[in-house]
């Protein structure tokens, strides 16, 4: 059942869990689903286009957005700030278009705070050991970096119980089926259908 | 994704909303789904079998079950008490078998209280007017009885916001698809997967 308003999905998974692969499968079945474009204070890299890869904004503009409640979530890494501007996302949602934010756990909790109707989904690795194996198989990082990622993953997984849904990525196609099913069924979650109940009662 | 433990579904809808028809469609796709057998203090009617249609129990036994926390929910109509004995339901759930309770809103809220992992689902009519039309089309009740049912439906719908999911039964086949989708996806609800998260963290 399609709700009048679009649904805001918040999707998190530890690095190395296969988030991109699973999401790519799901997006094929939901071509109308939109990603939000983040704002950042860092300088554009070669080939990056303003409004496509990021909105490149000044520190002043970024801080202003944060202070006036214009960011759904934001964080700072290595001195650069990143955030999800609220305005564009709300515009999509109000036009009945679903939006997905692929963000880490702290940001996800900030979105939940500022937009409680968001549907929050966390994807787990089958085990920490398997996550480490997947990271090692990339052959692109030192063992020290991988240790750091595993440590961070453990911290993130401990946050999973604050999400609406949680599932394991064991086999990619099955995980994509599960995620797609969750995204469809979550349109019937009561927390995003309070107006529907009111509407039925009013149409007397 | 199959959770180790069975899921307890609580399904409510106002009288005349088409609950039986929609549920029959869904049960075809979930043949392993179990209904719970209610206990009652009323005398068996002709053809009713103990343990199949109801568990027929004495008033003393019923009250004892209520007092010792042995009922998931219970209510009294016209001097007869009805309830859902906890033991059998928990036995199914512990064996990984899903159970559905088709009960009214007060009972549903009692189940939610005594078994918070229950997935609660409310089916709405498209409108109160349409519900009244459906009840009239049965040609089996006086207008006065129908007025009473509509009044009761309004009270029940006002309780819908306490459920996990809510959806409209407009076209039966679509409603069955929605309900089936909800029942599958709800297996990934975090509230019934806390052990899964713990398990991933422990398998280090």
């Amino acid at each position: 059942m399609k709700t009048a308003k679009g649904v805001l999905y918040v999707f998190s998974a530890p690095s190395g869990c296969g988030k991109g692969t699973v999401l790519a499968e799901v997006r094929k079945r939901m071509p109308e689903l939109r990603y939000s474009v983040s704002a950042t204070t860092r300088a554009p890299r070669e080939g990056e286009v303003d409004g496509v890869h990021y909105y490149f904004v000044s520190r002043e503009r970024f801080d202003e957005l944060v202070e006036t409640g214009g960011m759904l979530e934001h964080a700072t890494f290595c001195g650069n700030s990143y955030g999800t501007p609220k305005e564009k996302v709300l515009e999509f949602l109000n036009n009945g278009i679903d939006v997905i934010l692929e963000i880490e756990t702290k940001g996800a909790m900030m979105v939940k705070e500022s937009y409680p109707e968001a549907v929050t989904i966390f994807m787990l690795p089958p085990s920490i050991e398997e996550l480490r194996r997947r990271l090692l198989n990339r052959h692109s990082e030192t063992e020290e970096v991988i240790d750091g990622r595993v440590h961070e993953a453990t911290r993130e997984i401990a946050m999973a119980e604050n999400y609406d849904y949680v599932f394991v990525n064991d086999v990619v196609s099955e995980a994509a089926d599960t995620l797609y099913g969750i995204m469809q069924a979550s349109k019937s979650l009561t927390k995003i259908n309070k107006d529907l109940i009111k509407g039925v009662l009013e149409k007397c």
Side-chain angles (χ1 to χ4, degrees), chain A residues 30-78:
Chain A
M30 298 176 74
E32 75 295 349
L33 181 69
R34 298 291 185 103
Y35 267 82
S36 97
V37 176
S38 298
T40 181
T41 58
R42 82 156 164 73
R45 292 183 190 138
E46 193 161 331
E48 283 183 339
V49 179
D50 186 51
V52 176
H53 299 90
Y54 285 97
Y55 294 110
F56 296 99
V57 298
S58 66
R59 163 63 56 197
E60 291 68 34
R61 178 68 185 134
F62 194 98
D63 292 347
E64 193 194 328
L65 277 168
V66 170
E67 278 154 30
T68 57
M71 287 290 190
L72 277 170
E73 56 85 33
H74 60 95
T76 300
F77 302 105
C78 313

Side-chain angles (χ1 to χ4, degrees), chain A residues 197-204:
Chain A
I197 301 171
K198 257 192 245 161
V200 169
L201 286 173
E202 277 163 11
K203 275 186 282 172
C204 288

Side-chain angles (χ1 to χ4, degrees), chain A residues 141-178:
Chain A
E141 289 160 328
T142 64
E143 198 133 348
E144 203 185 343
V145 170
I146 288 174
D147 279 347
R149 290 203 187 276
V150 168
H151 180 80
E152 178 63 11
T154 308
R155 188 196 63 72
E156 292 206 272
I157 293 167
M159 295 288 289
E161 64 174 45
N162 300 306
Y163 284 66
D164 293 318
Y165 294 95
V166 67
F167 69 101
V168 171
N169 179 17
D170 196 348
V171 179
V172 169
S173 62
E174 285 173 20
D177 284 347
T178 302

